[in-house]
Amino acid sequence: MIIIPARLSSSRLPNKVLAEIENKPMIIWCAQVASQVDDVCIATDSQEVIEVAKKYGFNAVMTSDKHKSGSDRIKEAADILGLKDDDLVINMQGDEPFLEPEILNEVKNKLLEIKKRDFVMVSCYKEISEIQAEDPNLVKVILDKNGDAIYFSRSKIPYNRDNTPHQYFGHIGIYGFDKKSLDMFVKMQGVIEHIEKLEQLRVIENGKKIAMIKVKTQSFGIDTKDDLEKARAYAKSRN
């Protein structure tokens, strides 16, 4: 099951999940991508989003407007949908309308590969330039030899003391779990996540692993009016 959290309010771009891109709401772009891979459900706090989802033929569930994160919202949705402990759940962001379905498939396959772990969680990363690594809005990740995450940061990591050539990796905010691990994730407590404002850090702080997949993507998140205009121009150029 691919669950797309769709909170209507947004401090930087209000109602962004319903923003029109080529005469279609952003959340529907996302759902149509996800539907190429598996069953889809939109988890929202808005009746307006529910109605839009129905109009385009997608399942949607009403969740609390008190959730602090998308992960909390998809956990409630997974409960409403009656998913079992070993069912797989992919959290696809509702503001990445150009995410390639191949990436969702890679996440799904990786979840199946690591399903015997005591904690099952998968995310993605891509190569970025040294200049891009300076941007605190682009989260960086470093990996161990097994391809699991060591740390995520808004800072440029690792610190390149001798200025030697190094490839930096940017995190892509898509997450996969089994339902049991999703339940564990939302109950975990951490300190570092509140400093960096990155909830995935609670996993590392609690001694668990996040398996990472290297991908190539043209996708980008939409957080501002400028991002939205960029998305509209990009969508138009593809037609």
Side-chain angles (χ1 to χ4, degrees), residues 13-218:
L13 188 59
N15 299 342
K16 71 175 179 178
V17 296
L18 293 180
E20 296 275 329
I21 301 174
E22 289 291 280
N23 300 313
K24 187 167 60 182
M26 185 190 310
I27 189 65
I28 300 303
W29 280 80
C30 297
Q32 289 177 340
V33 168
S35 67
Q36 298 177 53
V37 177
D38 215 316
D39 294 333
V40 181
C41 180
I42 296 169
T44 185
D45 58 359
S46 163
Q47 186 60 38
E48 188 176 358
V49 174
I50 295 277
E51 295 302 322
V52 167
K54 288 181 179 178
K55 176 182 175 182
Y56 285 89
F58 288 104
N59 184 27
V61 296
M62 183 68 75
T63 55
S64 171
D65 61 359
K66 307 298 183 187
H67 291 311
K68 295 181 180 180
S69 73
S71 298
D72 293 330
R73 192 173 306 284
I74 68 161
K75 186 266 193 276
E76 183 186 356
D79 289 341
I80 292 170
L81 294 166
L83 300 188
K84 299 176 182 178
D85 280 356
D86 59 352
D87 286 336
L88 302 182
V89 181
I90 296 176
N91 177 358
M92 177 186 175
Q93 303 301 314
D95 61 1
E96 292 215 13
F98 309 118
L99 186 74
E100 297 84 352
E102 293 81 9
I103 292 177
L104 294 170
N105 262 319
E106 288 188 58
V107 172
K108 184 177 177 180
N109 291 335
K110 189 68 174 181
L111 286 168
L112 292 169
E113 179 186 322
I114 67 167
K115 65 181 180 180
K116 292 186 178 180
R117 288 188 179 185
D118 67 329
F119 181 79
V120 176
M121 183 174 178
V122 173
S123 195
C124 302
Y125 69 96
K126 63 181 179 179
E127 292 185 359
I128 59 173
S129 70
E130 188 166 358
I131 293 174
Q132 288 175 309
E134 301 281 358
D135 182 358
N137 293 313
L138 200 167
V139 177
K140 276 67 66 177
V141 61
I142 51 176
L143 312 172
D144 66 18
K145 291 182 178 180
N146 297 316
D148 295 327
I150 296 173
Y151 192 69
F152 299 85
S153 183
R154 297 186 182 279
S155 297
K156 184 178 178 182
I157 55 172
Y159 176 72
N160 196 343
R161 193 187 73 168
D162 296 326
N163 203 30
T164 53
H166 180 73
Q167 179 62 63
Y168 291 91
F169 298 135
H171 180 225
I172 299 171
I174 179 172
Y175 299 100
F177 306 85
D178 62 15
K179 175 59 165 55
K180 180 180 178 181
S181 299
L182 174 59
D183 291 345
M184 292 170 63
F185 177 79
V186 298
K187 293 177 181 177
M188 287 178 179
Q189 299 293 320
V191 174
I192 304 172
E193 69 169 295
H194 300 296
I195 299 171
E196 292 259 20
K197 304 302 180 188
L198 299 172
E199 66 176 349
Q200 66 269 33
L201 287 172
R202 73 179 68 163
V203 177
I204 294 167
E205 195 169 354
N206 281 273
K208 301 298 184 181
K209 298 286 189 180
I210 303 176
M212 302 296 296
I213 307 169
K214 185 179 181 181
V215 299
K216 292 184 178 180
T217 179
Q218 299 299 314

Side-chain angles (χ1 to χ4, degrees), residues 218-235:
Q218 299 299 314
S219 179
F220 55 91
I222 300 172
D223 294 311
T224 66
K225 288 183 179 180
D226 287 344
D227 293 337
L228 181 57
E229 291 309 312
K230 177 183 174 183
R232 286 169 171 163
Y234 180 70

